């Protein structure tokens, strides 16, 4: 690397970094986008449902060019126990029309495409370089160093993901406590396209997204997912790190149990393992967000702790894109005023605050606390499937009405009426 000065150095070519690079380069700024992987997408991992409306605002009709897999028209929430499962199965054909609600994406393809858009707009992509530290001059961030090489810029954007070493190094945040992160484990399982369409009752490019709660995670706080791609499935688990540590369970063991569950096994049957990966997911909500800006530096995407898991959806990519837009707008204003100090860049925080990103982070601020409740992962799936077993079971004995059946199920479960009332109230408040 030469000792050049750029307008902006962006560290990390995930969805956050590449979006910021695209928006800034399009406005004529000198932008360099540094990625430690051999190519953008090579190190990235997502369940893979992209809620794409925000990207459509930035790159209209992106789905016509981008390597998206299937358009999600069917969302299923499954509560599972060892032998039983209870599904809430929602389909809406309205989601199959532009501007579409969500697509499955495979990051190795999608991130590469997004970084290409940034390059075409004029950004310089530098893959295969791991940034080691930020450079400072009188406390102000003025560039980055990778090995012996140094690069300088008016602004450095940390888009280096959930563990953001850069944000820590710049003193914007402490090391993240384990209760604020989850471990995501994911497999991509190849299956012929026709098999997927037959097995999941899909037409054309329609897709389904399953969220799975219950013994699929071996009682560890978290949940499973199964998403359909064109000719593969993205299947995995997101589990709270402190709970895994507390229960002394290895993620790989839970994954094996998950894949063998009677709900999941027939869905993945005959598939070929194509990819396996693990990654951290920020799950602390607003409470884990770092300071977002300093003199000469901004933090975006997962690095800024932007992630929402509300039990129905896992989101991070759309928030990363939204934060990249706010950061790009703030940098353009800072450039116009030639003021890259923390005060000059503080518009980022205000713009993010006014956008859907912080509005949603605030709406679901209580969700992380709510999902700390162990009853969600064992007692409630058992109560639900137990109740339905009572309803459908015909033992050649007189049946009871629904209410006494419910009360008996509740009595024989680990959930008291008081627990149920308290948890329902907490759920209503959090979600
Ligand atoms: C199992 C799992 C399932 C998920 N499911 C979904 C989902 O269905 N939908 C959704 O919207 N979100 C989901 N998420 C969250 C989503 O993946 C993230 O929110 C999203 O990837 C954040 O994008 P980002 O660009 O901020 O960070 P990342 O995608 O993590 O990108 C960071 C980039 O920085 C690079 N980098 C890091 N350090 C350095 C360095 N020192 N030097 C150079 N480069 C560096 C990395 O290689 C990487 O390319 C899921 C996450 C996991 C783990």
């Amino acid at each position: 690397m030469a000792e050049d000065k750029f307008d902006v150095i962006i560290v990390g070519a995930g969805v956050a970094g590449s979006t910021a690079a695209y928006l800034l380069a399009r406005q004529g700024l000198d932008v360099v986008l540094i990625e430690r992987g051999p190519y953008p997408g090579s190190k990235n991992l997502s369940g893979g449902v992209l809620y794409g409306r925000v990207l459509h605002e930035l790159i209209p009709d992106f789905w016509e060019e981008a390597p998206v897999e299937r358009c999600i028209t069917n969302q299923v929430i499954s509560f599972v126990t060892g032998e039983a499962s209870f599904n809430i199965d929602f389909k809406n054909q309205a989601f199959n029309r532009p501007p579409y609600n969500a697509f499955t994406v495979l990051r190795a393809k999608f991130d590469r495409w997004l970084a290409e858009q940034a390059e075409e707009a004029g950004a310089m992509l530098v893959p295969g370089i791991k940034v080691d530290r930020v450079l400072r001059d009188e406390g102000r961030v003025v560039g980055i160093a990778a090995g012996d090489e140094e690069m300088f810029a008016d602004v450095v954007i940390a888009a280096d993901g959930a563990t953001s070493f850069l944000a820590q190094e710049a003193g914007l945040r402490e090391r993240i406590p384990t209760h604020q992160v989850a471990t995501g484990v994911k497999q991509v399982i190849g299956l012929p396209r026709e098999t997927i369409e037959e097995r999941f009752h899909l037409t054309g490019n329609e897709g389904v997204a399953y969220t799975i709660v219950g013994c699929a995670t071996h009682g560890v706080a978290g949940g499973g997912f199964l998403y359909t791609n064109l000719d593969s499935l993205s299947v995995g688990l997101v589990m709270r790190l402190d709970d895994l540590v507390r229960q002394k369970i290895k993620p790989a063991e839970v994954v094996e149990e998950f894949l063998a569950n009677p709900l999941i096994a027939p869905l993945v049957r005959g598939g070929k393992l194509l990819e396996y990966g693990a990654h951290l997911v920020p799950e602390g909500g607003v409470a884990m967000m770092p300071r977002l800006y300093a003199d000469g530096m901004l933090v975006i995407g997962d690095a800024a702790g932007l992630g929402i898991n509300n039990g129905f959806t896992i989101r991070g990519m759309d928030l990363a894109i939204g934060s990249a837009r706010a950061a790009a707008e703030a940098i353009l204003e800072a450039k116009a005023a030639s003021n890259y100090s923390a005060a000059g860049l503080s518009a980022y925080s205000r713009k993010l605050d006014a956008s859907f990103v912080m509005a949603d982070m605030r709406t679901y601020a209580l969700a992380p606390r709510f999902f700390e409740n162990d009853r969600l992962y064992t007692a409630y799936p058992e109560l639900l499937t137990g109740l339905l077993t009572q309803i459908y079971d015909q033992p050649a004995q007189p049946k009871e009405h629904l209410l006494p059946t419910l009360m008996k199920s509740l009595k024989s479960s680990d959930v008291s009426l008081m627990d149920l009332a308290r948890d329902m109230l907490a759920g209503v408040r959090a979600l």
Side-chain angles (χ1 to χ4, degrees):
M1 281 188 281
E3 279 202 11
D4 273 330
K5 178 152 183 223
F6 294 87
D7 289 318
V8 186
I9 294 172
I10 301 171
V11 181
V15 283
S18 288
T19 303
Y22 168 76
L23 293 174
L24 290 164
R26 210 175 53 168
Q27 295 299 322
L29 271 65
D30 279 337
V31 178
V32 63
L33 176 61
I34 306 177
E35 168 56 44
R36 68 178 169 176
Y39 60 88
S42 58
K43 297 249 177 207
N44 306 70
L45 193 138
S46 263
V49 175
L50 168 71
Y51 294 89
R53 299 270 168 83
V54 60
L55 187 57
H56 172 54
E57 285 175 12
L58 305 178
I59 307 179
D61 303 338
F62 71 90
W63 52 83
E64 287 179 1
E65 305 286 331
V68 293
E69 297 284 312
R70 290 180 182 274
C71 165
I72 299 299
T73 51
N74 184 189
Q75 305 260 6
V76 182
I77 299 185
S78 295
F79 298 89
V80 297
T81 59
E83 291 191 306
S85 58
F86 168 63
N87 290 350
I88 300 172
D89 187 327
F90 177 69
K91 285 195 181 103
N92 192 342
Q93 284 305 320
F95 287 156
N96 200 13
R97 290 193 289 271
Y100 302 104
N101 184 47
F103 294 96
T104 41
V105 296
L106 290 165
R107 297 287 298 272
K109 293 185 203 168
F110 185 77
D111 286 25
R112 210 168 188 168
W113 172 83
L114 196 54
E116 276 165 21
Q117 306 314 298
E119 278 187 285
E120 277 169 28
M124 184 169 96
L125 173 68
V126 184
I129 300 282
K130 181 173 171 293
V131 172
D132 296 322
R133 59 198 164 90
V134 291
L135 299 173
R136 291 168 188 281
D137 182 16
E138 295 178 357
R140 169 179 194 287
V141 174
V142 292
I144 57 93
D148 296 338
E149 308 281 356
E150 297 186 336
M151 261 182 167
F152 297 89
D154 290 326
V155 187
V156 172
I157 300 183
D160 52 340
T163 47
S164 187
F165 156 75
L166 237 59
Q168 283 178 52
E169 221 237 338
L172 290 173
R173 78 164 192 216
E174 304 288 315
R175 218 162 158 249
I176 312 167
T178 50
H179 72 274
Q180 290 188 332
V181 275
T183 301
V185 193
K186 178 188 168 187
Q187 295 192 354
V188 178
I189 298 177
L191 274 173
R193 190 177 171 150
E194 316 78 66
T195 307
I196 291 178
E197 283 161 17
E198 247 173 58
R199 198 171 280 182
F200 292 91
H201 313 291
L202 302 171
T203 310
N205 284 11
E206 286 175 12
V208 56
Y210 279 75
T211 305
I212 301 130
V213 187
C215 84
T217 54
H218 199 87
V220 176
F225 60 87
L226 186 151
Y227 305 145
T228 53
N229 303 312
L230 280 174
D231 51 12
S232 64
L233 306 175
S234 293
V235 189
L237 294 159
V238 177
M239 295 169 283
R240 259 215 355 249
L241 196 54
D242 59 340
D243 215 22
L244 276 169
V245 174
R246 189 168 54 86
Q247 300 201 37
K248 297 197 176 77
I249 298 175
K250 292 198 180 95
E253 289 166 12
V254 192
V255 172
E256 286 312 309
E257 193 174 318
F258 177 61
L259 293 174
N261 182 278
L263 173 82
I264 306 299
L267 300 177
V268 299
R269 190 173 48 226
K272 188 171 163 226
L273 181 64
L274 302 177
E275 268 179 46
Y276 192 101
H279 203 278
L280 291 181
V281 188
E283 285 215 326
V286 277
M288 78 172 283
M289 288 184 65
R291 263 180 56 218
L292 294 172
Y293 56 90
D295 288 323
M297 184 161 169
L298 297 177
V299 189
I300 63 175
D302 269 19
L306 299 170
I308 294 174
N309 181 354
N310 65 6
F312 298 98
T313 54
I314 302 171
R315 287 169 54 196
M317 289 188 277
D318 61 325
L319 307 175
I321 294 168
S323 67
R325 172 169 65 184
E329 287 172 3
I331 289 172
L332 290 171
E333 285 179 17
K335 185 172 169 63
S338 297
N339 181 0
Y340 303 103
S341 67
L345 293 170
S346 62
Y348 168 47
S349 181
R350 289 196 297 280
K351 286 173 189 292
L352 195 65
D353 220 47
S355 75
F356 79 97
V357 176
M358 285 311 294
D360 287 0
M361 289 292 290
R362 281 191 295 268
T363 298
Y364 297 113
L366 296 177
R369 194 70 202 273
F370 176 66
F371 287 114
E372 282 174 18
N373 182 346
D374 287 343
R375 283 189 287 277
L376 296 176
Y377 310 103
T378 45
Y380 284 120
E382 272 165 21
L383 176 65
L384 264 174
T385 53
L387 174 66
L388 285 155
T389 305
Q390 295 295 318
I391 290 171
Y392 287 110
D393 189 40
Q394 306 299 339
Q397 299 286 330
K399 295 281 289 182
E400 287 184 309
H401 276 299
L402 191 58
L403 192 61
T405 311
L406 170 66
M407 293 315 287
K408 268 192 190 154
S409 295
L410 203 56
K411 250 190 172 159
S412 63
S413 78
D414 292 337
V415 182
S416 69
L417 251 183
M418 188 57 106
D419 289 336
L420 185 64
R422 221 184 279 130
D423 294 343
M424 278 174 72
L425 189 63
V428 168
R429 283 196 183 129
L431 309 179

